[in-house]
Amino acid sequence: MDTIFALASARGKSGVAVIRISGPRAHVVARAMAGNLPPLREAGLRMLRDGVGERLDSALVLCFAQGASFTGEDVTELMVHGSLATVTAIEHCLAQDHALRLAQPGEFTRRALDNGMMDLTQVEALSDLLEAETESQRRQALRVLDGAIGKVVAEWRAHLVKAAALVETAIDFVEEDVGNFDDMILQELRAVQAGLQSEMAGQRARERVQTGFEVALIGPVNAGKSSLLNALAGREAAITSDIAGTTRDVLEVRMDVGGYAVTFLDTAGLRDAPEQVEAIGIARGKARAAQADLRIILQPANDISDLPELGANDILVRSKADLGPVSQGAISAVTGQGLDWLLDEIIARLSALTARDGVTVRQRHAQSMQQAEAGLTDAIDKICQGDYIAELVAADIRTAMTALDSLIGVVDVEDVLGDIFSNFCIGK
Amino acid sequence: MKQYDVIVVGGGHAGVEAALAAGRMGAATALVTFRKDDLGVMSCNPAFGGLGKGHLVREIDALDGAMGRASDYAAIQYRLLNRSKGPAVQGPRVQADRARYRAAIQKIVANAPLVDVVEAEVTALAITGDTVRGVQINGEVMLHARAVVLTTGTFLGGKVFIGDKSFPAGRMGNAASTILAQQLRGMGLPMGRLKTGTPPRLRRGSIDWESLEQQPGDDIPEYMSFLTDRTIAPQVSCAITHTNSQTHDIVRANLDRSAMYGGHIEGVGPRYCPSIEDKISRFADKDSHQVFLEPEGLDDDIVYPNGISTSLPAEVQEAYVRTIRGLERAEITQPGYAIEYDYIDPRALDLSLQLMALKGFFLAGQINGTTGYEEAGAQGLVAGLNAARHAAGEEPVRFSRSDSYIGVMIDDLTARGVTEPYRMFTSRAEYRLSLRADNADQRLTPLGIAWGCVGPQRRHVFQSKLEALLSAKALLQSQTFTPAQLQAAGHRVSEDGTRRNGLELLGLSGFGFDVLETLHAPFADISDEIKDQLTKEMVYAAYLRRQESQIAALRSDEARAIPSELDYSQISGLSRELATKLSMARPKTMAQAARIDGMTPAALVLLLARLQKQEKRARA
């Protein structure tokens, strides 16, 4: 078993740099450099020296024992002065030990997974946490990192194991006069089905927390969509002018709105009989807007035509309030009037979307849940129709269990693993 | 001094199948048993087959073993269990006449040209280094062989318990073989202790049959052997009665006098076959349990009351038996007893059932921690085949979890070991939809023909059936029907524009042969047996297609063997915890490694990389 090491903090000048060592020789090599080690889980200041006694740096040394560390192996962390030369000298010294080598990208995390310190969803969450830019992303990742998905799946699995056991009892112990379990089986299966459905209903919103919500600005030509976007972004992101049809395609501006990652989509203005190139832009804009999580529909305050019909995820604003009579939802990119109201409204809508209880975050999670749910629906339909073929119900339940297992990484996830680990930076 | 290819020690169900299989493979075989007359004895209940077990009998039969044919000869009642469920979980079962079964087995053994029956006690194994050379019998004579199969059931440290009395015995009325046991113990093999129980036997004439519910056999019998085409013995009914609160009171009041409950037995008993003491203390809310009264034979005066096995003192047994309806004046001919015995941890075996530590030495049956005639017979067959292959210097034959219940059982035993006597269930087989009792011949007979253990009669019968199946399939596939045609004929089918042939239609609900024949008259020419077989196959068609890729992946993992001497601590990147687990479990294949608790895909990749490196080095 190799002992591996790597710089765990960002490379480059910094106040402190952290070098992590993991594996059977993690404590041995640290003792050789530091002379002696502080007690486990207690930081101690030590002078690090190389093989010939040359001083390397004065460092805080922190040791963790096998089974109680991030990787599950013996771990030492060296907190040294964050200069390129210091880090290089220490890495060079560690590399002198032939049982040590530089860690591959993601290798510490991989060992944590191998040693059962984390399940697959926790590894994903760690990646999300490291990538987190907004408060909501941080909170969500931390929850999954804490093992929230594993707990939910374990509950579902327990129900399914019970249902499977009841089905198998009716098959293998038919001689034992055991009675009919259909109601009990249905109860177990429906409990999981309901859980899956409620979890899936909120999954898209949680995935959006990670990947960013899309909010589309739509409205007639020259309604002030680009001006509004600029006002929101506080900078000239879109090209705006008073000539109708300036925005020919979809412009995207990514922002942190109240802790949510939001991408505003500025779409080409809607009008009849445009020129051909612009028509393509309008079509694209419409398609993107239809898929967006929220739509802000602009109608200038001086436009007296009928108000558009609003869907559940639509917000109507009366733009150019500086030009017309003030009414509800009025904003002005020029005076800044109503901008705070609009931002608050967006935050309120997004937090309503994410308010559902749930823990699954990724598209991969949704796929596994859909497979599991399909298996359960098949099983439940068969039982409800009566006079069912028990071994096929058993096969359906097995399908559901396998799908849930793949969620937390019990079986056949090498593809997913490769993908996850390739997204890791060295030393994390 | 006599030289054999294979010596089989023990004449129970495992020993008989092992010796016969070795003989069919062309090996000069000695079957060594205490008493020739005991070949084919049923020491527990007078029945063969059932769920999972019936599958095993059919698989033994498909490889030309004796159990299927002998149990058809002995069958005095046929019942197909789970007849109302799908074909994959239907298990053929028979009540067997003890005398007829014994006679059938003894005849088959006598007619096996290469099998010598030697009446003797094996007193020692002859071993040179790590290789077995033969056995010593009766403390003096040496029998030499290239392979030895040990099938000695419960003889290792066997101890019988009735109430607070106990004495060493292999089974009631037989001496335990103690000298060989000492030698085996001295080999330092991993061992454990198990127990099993039997009910008191009752005199047939002392039971009031008139007052009891009768359970007749099936009108259309499902035979155990693919070669059987008619019912041989006269058929009888069993009877069903029930325990009651009075029975339970007596058992409860005497629990401390039970060998199992009085703390006399350390072995672990099977959860699925509880004693009456177990049933009453663990399921206290149930005020009645079923008891099947199974006749032990046509002319036999003994009845086996299935469901009340016990180790209570004899007088308590009499008292509680007589509280049961129909048994008020029942005479006990032999009290029920529990037997406790040593088994060898089957994880010490490879997939050919050879002990990894001793070349040429194979184990089969209860000594491997299993229970049941069928489980024993199936292991005997595997051990016998492989002992013969070993003697001939050939590679062992392998069974897969995806081709047979035999494969499931051997994989379970060698990978996971046992914590209670191992019995087959259909739920142990993840691919049970394709491992059916009805297609055991299609799954295994071709393998048996290739290995050389299938005789000419079976080969001929199988090949005719296969030809009939193939031509019926061709006929069905030759006719296609559009949804419009089918709807015009009054059948419900989705309007997807797909033309479906006759075989595909058979897989849809509502399209049995009765319907198909109205669509195309020549379909009626297919024989009933073949129609039945095709209908069973098509029930699961959609599910089987889904499982195909899983099965292919499993087969490739099973094909990749892991050398038993592999040092897991030397695999770089493998966590210490998993390395320890792997060293303990010593998986024989990648498929077994994948099923180890806590195994991760990443670790499997490391293991695979290591095996590939070794293979490359071996080739270079």
Side-chain angles (χ1 to χ4, degrees):
Chain A
M1 185 69 177
D2 291 359
T3 298
I4 53 173
F5 67 92
L7 182 63
S9 52
R11 199 164 279 276
K13 271 187 205 169
S14 60
V16 177
V18 180
I19 295 167
R20 182 182 277 160
I21 312 165
S22 177
R25 288 185 58 77
H27 294 173
V28 181
V29 292
R31 191 174 296 116
M33 292 168 82
N36 63 70
L37 296 177
L40 291 170
R41 298 179 160 265
E42 281 179 30
L45 189 63
R46 296 288 185 277
M47 177 56 68
L48 303 183
R49 295 169 193 273
D50 67 10
V52 293
E54 188 81 25
R55 290 154 64 114
L56 292 167
D57 191 15
S58 160
L60 264 184
V61 178
L62 184 53
C63 297
F64 301 89
Q66 187 188 357
S69 70
F70 173 70
T71 58
E73 305 171 328
D74 281 345
V75 165
T76 302
E77 291 185 355
L78 306 173
M79 276 145 272
V80 301
H81 294 100
S83 82
L84 216 55
T86 307
V87 169
T88 308
I90 290 169
E91 283 180 340
H92 182 74
C93 174
L94 288 169
Q96 297 302 304
D97 187 318
H98 291 296
L100 261 64
R101 64 173 170 80
L102 203 60
Q104 307 276 323
E107 196 170 1
F108 289 111
T109 315
R110 186 156 199 146
R111 289 190 175 190
L113 184 71
D114 282 348
N115 289 332
M117 307 304 286
M118 303 170 106
D119 73 23
L120 188 55
T121 59
Q122 290 173 299
V123 171
E124 287 170 340
L126 177 64
S127 165
D128 285 342
L129 187 62
L130 294 169
E131 303 276 325
E133 291 170 349
T134 70
E135 177 62 14
S136 62
Q137 287 174 339
R138 183 191 67 78
R139 276 202 309 264
Q140 184 166 287
L142 204 56
R143 209 162 137 224
V144 180
L145 185 59
D146 202 29
I149 296 180
K151 276 176 213 149
V152 172
V153 170
E155 254 173 56
W156 289 337
R157 219 175 180 286
H159 282 293
L160 292 185
V161 167
K162 203 167 167 198
L166 291 169
V167 175
E168 297 296 354
T169 304
I171 293 174
D172 269 337
F173 298 94
V174 63
E175 288 283 87
E176 309 281 329
D177 191 22
V178 285
N180 185 310
F181 298 130
D182 288 1
D183 289 342
M184 286 162 77
I185 296 168
L186 280 176
Q187 197 185 331
E188 300 295 336
L189 296 182
R190 284 189 173 131
V192 182
Q193 191 186 37
L196 279 168
Q197 283 167 350
S198 127
E199 185 65 41
M200 284 192 290
Q203 188 276 337
R204 185 180 146 87
R206 286 188 299 279
E207 187 184 344
R208 290 300 210 196
V209 167
Q210 243 33 69
T211 59
F213 288 94
E214 289 192 341
V215 177
L217 304 178
I218 55 178
V221 167
N222 217 8
K225 299 181 292 295
S226 301
S227 305
L228 174 58
L229 181 62
N230 289 343
L232 288 170
R235 62 192 163 94
E236 289 271 319
I239 314 151
T240 50
S241 75
D242 283 333
I243 307 159
T246 313
T247 308
R248 285 219 170 128
D249 213 329
V250 182
L251 270 175
E252 301 184 11
V253 176
R254 200 173 163 89
M255 289 173 54
D256 180 338
V257 179
Y260 292 105
V262 173
T263 303
F264 285 99
L265 308 175
D266 180 12
T267 62
L270 309 173
R271 65 168 169 175
D272 299 329
E275 55 150 318
Q276 199 192 351
V277 178
E278 198 188 338
I280 295 171
I282 291 174
R284 277 192 201 156
K286 271 187 170 169
R288 277 297 289 279
Q291 288 168 12
D293 300 288
L294 287 181
R295 278 162 296 279
I296 298 174
I297 299 172
L298 289 87
Q299 184 157 344
N302 55 357
D303 181 343
I304 52 156
S305 55
D306 287 346
L307 292 176
E309 270 185 45
L310 297 182
N313 294 320
D314 296 339
I315 302 171
L316 177 70
V317 302
R318 309 301 305 267
S319 55
K320 303 189 179 178
D322 47 310
L323 295 182
V326 177
S327 64
Q328 202 180 355
I331 57 163
S332 167
V334 176
T335 65
Q337 176 197 349
L339 283 181
D340 286 345
W341 164 81
L342 180 58
L343 284 173
D344 286 346
E345 184 64 21
I346 292 170
I347 293 166
R349 297 288 188 105
L350 294 183
S351 61
L353 283 177
T354 56
R356 283 175 160 280
D357 277 344
V359 290
T360 53
V361 179
R362 298 188 165 226
Q363 183 57 35
R364 186 183 73 77
H365 302 160
Q367 280 166 0
S368 295
M369 289 190 295
Q370 277 157 14
Q371 274 174 20
E373 212 257 342
L376 290 184
T377 306
D378 284 351
I380 290 170
D381 286 352
K382 284 193 185 92
I383 298 174
C384 289
Q385 278 164 22
D387 199 22
Y388 58 94
I389 299 181
E391 63 272 28
L392 292 185
V393 169
D396 291 334
I397 297 175
R398 193 185 281 270
T399 301
M401 283 205 264
T402 312
L404 290 182
D405 280 348
S406 74
L407 190 60
I408 48 173
V410 181
V411 283
D412 281 333
V413 284
E414 193 50 40
D415 303 344
V416 187
L417 283 175
D419 198 47
I420 290 170
F421 288 114
S422 65
N423 287 330
F424 271 87
C425 290
I426 192 160
K428 281 176 186 166
Chain B
M1 186 193 98
K2 241 185 141 169
Q3 175 71 43
Y4 287 99
D5 293 321
V6 173
I7 294 171
V8 177
V9 184
H13 302 284
V16 165
E17 294 295 349
L20 290 172
R24 290 198 301 282
M25 294 286 283
T29 304
L31 174 54
V32 188
T33 177
F34 281 129
R35 279 207 310 248
K36 217 169 180 166
D37 247 12
D38 280 351
L39 293 181
V41 159
M42 295 186 273
S43 50
C44 194
N45 62 324
F48 283 90
L51 296 166
K53 289 167 167 281
H55 293 75
L56 284 172
V57 177
R58 285 282 176 84
E59 290 181 359
I60 295 170
D61 186 67
L63 293 166
D64 223 3
M67 191 173 278
R69 280 173 289 158
S71 53
D72 274 332
Y73 180 80
I76 52 176
Q77 184 188 74
Y78 283 97
R79 271 192 339 116
L80 180 65
L81 303 189
N82 271 341
R83 196 176 271 279
S84 67
K85 300 197 173 73
V89 295
Q90 292 176 352
R93 182 183 190 275
V94 298
Q95 290 302 141
D97 177 302
R98 283 182 195 281
R100 289 180 69 95
Y101 190 80
R102 208 163 60 180
I105 288 292
Q106 290 183 6
K107 191 171 162 199
I108 293 170
V109 171
N111 287 340
L114 291 173
V115 179
D116 283 352
V117 179
V118 178
E119 233 175 15
E121 180 182 5
V122 169
T123 40
L125 293 171
I127 296 168
T128 315
D130 63 351
T131 306
V132 72
R133 301 288 179 198
V135 300
Q136 180 201 52
I137 54 172
N138 299 337
E140 42 192 18
V141 185
M142 285 298 296
L143 298 181
H144 290 269
R146 292 192 185 86
V148 172
V149 182
L150 194 68
T151 69
T152 43
T154 59
F155 95 112
L156 266 183
K159 208 171 175 191
V160 161
F161 293 82
I162 305 177
D164 49 9
K165 286 186 212 122
S166 74
F167 47 92
R171 69 177 164 236
M172 233 25 176
N174 290 76
S177 174
T178 48
I179 309 171
L180 181 55
Q182 276 168 14
Q183 189 186 10
L184 281 178
R185 287 223 180 79
M187 287 166 67
L189 300 170
M191 284 164 119
R193 212 147 165 81
L194 295 172
K195 72 169 186 201
T196 186
T198 64
R201 313 297 164 93
L202 310 177
R203 188 172 304 288
R204 192 180 201 160
S206 67
I207 296 172
D208 177 12
W209 296 95
E210 296 303 312
S211 68
L212 297 175
E213 178 195 342
Q214 299 291 303
Q215 188 183 42
D218 291 342
D219 293 334
I220 302 165
E222 188 76 27
Y223 298 120
M224 302 300 276
S225 170
F226 289 103
L227 298 183
T228 304
D229 53 10
R230 63 189 176 88
T231 305
I232 304 164
Q235 300 295 292
V236 301
S237 289
C238 294
I240 302 178
T241 183
H242 297 87
T243 62
N244 53 48
S245 55
Q246 224 188 324
T247 325
H248 295 197
D249 288 344
I250 293 177
V251 171
R252 212 175 284 121
N254 288 286
L255 272 185
D256 56 331
R257 303 178 66 194
S258 157
M260 291 187 228
Y261 274 77
H264 305 292
I265 295 186
E266 50 176 310
V268 182
R271 284 169 303 175
Y272 44 79
C273 185
S275 63
I276 189 70
E277 294 96 302
D278 262 340
K279 287 183 181 177
I280 285 162
S281 36
R282 280 174 37 206
F283 306 100
D285 53 325
K286 263 194 107 171
D287 48 17
S288 175
H289 296 279
Q290 290 189 109
V291 182
F292 295 89
L293 299 177
E294 303 176 348
E296 299 220 339
L298 293 170
D299 309 318
D300 203 309
D301 195 29
I302 295 179
V303 166
Y304 186 98
N306 201 341
I308 50 169
S309 80
T310 185
S311 61
L312 284 162
E315 67 272 19
V316 181
Q317 296 185 26
E318 190 175 88
Y320 83 68
V321 162
R322 289 187 172 179
T323 62
I324 298 173
R325 188 152 62 100
L327 307 183
E328 294 86 353
R329 278 180 296 279
E331 266 175 60
I332 293 178
T333 60
Q334 180 193 296
Y337 61 90
I339 180 161
E340 191 191 35
Y341 55 95
D342 286 342
Y343 73 97
I344 292 172
D345 184 342
R347 285 175 292 188
L349 305 174
D350 66 19
L351 288 167
S352 68
L353 295 182
Q354 180 180 225
L355 193 65
M356 286 187 282
L358 186 56
K359 290 199 182 73
F361 188 55
F362 297 79
L363 300 177
Q366 273 172 300
I367 197 165
N368 290 340
T370 64
T371 173
Y373 308 150
E374 303 82 355
E375 288 83 353
Q379 289 171 69
L381 178 84
V382 174
L385 288 177
N386 282 317
R389 305 265 297 194
H390 180 87
E394 291 167 338
E395 286 293 302
V397 299
R398 287 276 170 84
F399 292 84
S400 160
R401 294 186 77 89
S402 64
D403 69 22
S404 57
Y405 277 79
I406 295 177
V408 170
M409 173 171 66
I410 291 181
D411 189 63
D412 282 347
L413 291 174
T414 58
R416 293 203 251 190
V418 298
T419 50
E420 66 183 330
Y422 180 95
R423 182 193 140 168
M424 186 47 75
F425 301 110
T426 72
S427 44
R428 292 196 195 273
E430 56 271 55
Y431 302 116
R432 69 176 163 203
L433 299 184
S434 51
L435 307 186
R436 305 190 305 276
D438 67 78
N439 69 1
D441 55 344
Q442 293 175 62
R443 291 185 279 119
L444 296 179
T445 305
L447 292 175
I449 291 171
W451 297 335
C453 69
V454 170
Q457 188 201 358
R458 184 177 304 272
R459 194 163 62 223
H460 175 74
V461 168
F462 174 70
Q463 279 162 352
S464 329
K465 178 177 170 185
L466 202 60
E467 278 161 28
L469 265 174
L470 291 176
S471 68
K473 273 188 192 170
L475 176 63
L476 286 165
Q477 285 169 326
S478 69
Q479 297 297 318
T480 59
F481 308 90
T482 63
Q485 267 176 297
L486 294 170
Q487 282 178 342
H491 303 295
R492 278 185 53 202
V493 61
S494 71
E495 282 178 79
D496 52 4
T498 315
R499 291 185 80 90
R500 291 185 175 83
N501 67 40
L503 196 61
E504 287 162 340
L505 284 183
L506 205 51
L508 303 180
S509 73
F511 287 90
F513 267 96
D514 49 342
V515 172
L516 290 181
E517 286 162 15
T518 64
L519 295 170
H520 184 63
F523 288 163
D525 298 339
I526 297 171
S527 76
D528 288 348
E529 184 205 353
I530 298 295
K531 279 183 192 167
D532 187 42
Q533 185 65 58
L534 289 172
T535 307
K536 284 174 175 166
E537 265 178 50
M538 295 311 291
V539 171
Y540 302 118
Y543 280 78
L544 294 181
R545 265 197 304 278
R546 259 190 258 167
Q547 288 186 351
E548 265 168 22
S549 60
Q550 292 170 32
I551 290 179
L554 173 76
R555 289 227 167 126
S556 87
D557 278 354
E558 283 180 334
R560 194 171 288 277
I562 301 176
S564 61
E565 67 279 4
L566 185 69
D567 184 355
Y568 292 97
S569 67
Q570 294 302 307
I571 297 180
S572 153
L574 196 62
S575 76
R576 227 180 287 179
E577 189 191 346
L578 276 180
T580 311
K581 274 188 179 170
L582 283 161
S583 321
M584 298 266 289
R586 287 214 275 162
K588 282 90 189 171
T589 63
M590 280 300 284
Q592 288 193 348
R595 281 193 301 277
I596 289 174
D597 178 44
M599 181 56 60
T600 65
L604 286 175
V605 170
L606 292 172
L607 184 53
L608 190 63
R610 176 54 168 254
L611 293 177
Q612 282 169 339
K613 208 192 278 174
Q614 285 192 342
E615 282 164 22
K616 219 176 276 171
R617 212 177 295 149
R619 273 199 303 272

